[in-house]
Amino acid sequence: MVDYFPNGKLSKLMMTSIRSPQQLGDALRAARKQLGLTQPQLALAAGVGVRFIVDLEAGKPTLRLENVLRVIDALGGEVQLSGLPSSVSNDQREGGNHGA
């Protein structure tokens, strides 16, 4: 998590439905700008390269999920899933069997 935001936390929390890489990129760009961060500042805070931030904000569909989550965390956000079955077995929660 990032401790330094030039303009403080987001002034209003938002819940955004994301259905495409482009929508995710647009939402993360808007959050970055609202926090007053440049792409290099966000890259440094998230531990990724500036090129990764550029590609993410452009909606590139083949980025590493681990790094996407790091950027979301650096912006103070989190991922929540909705519309999925609520009863998930312990094997699935612990990362076992992934549909095999």
Side-chain angles (χ1 to χ4, degrees), residues 10 12-31 34 72 77-82:
L10 288 173
K12 76 174 185 180
L13 297 177
M14 63 179 181
M15 181 75 84
T16 304
S17 291
I18 303 294
R19 295 194 176 272
S20 72
Q22 186 63 55
Q23 287 177 330
L24 178 60
D26 292 343
L28 295 178
R29 180 186 305 107
Q34 188 170 357
I72 292 169
E78 66 179 10
V79 174
Q80 295 184 359
L81 299 176
S82 64

Side-chain angles (χ1 to χ4, degrees), residues 19-74:
R19 295 194 176 272
S20 72
Q22 186 63 55
Q23 287 177 330
L24 178 60
D26 292 343
L28 295 178
R29 180 186 305 107
R32 174 182 61 78
K33 288 184 174 186
Q34 188 170 357
L35 289 169
L37 295 172
T38 64
Q39 289 176 330
Q41 288 171 323
L42 177 56
L44 182 62
V48 300
V50 175
R51 182 81 231 166
F52 183 86
I53 301 297
V54 170
D55 288 346
L56 178 58
E57 291 184 355
K60 184 176 179 181
T62 58
L63 296 175
R64 187 172 178 169
L65 179 59
E66 178 182 11
N67 289 345
V68 173
L69 294 174
R70 291 172 78 172
V71 172
I72 292 169
D73 184 56

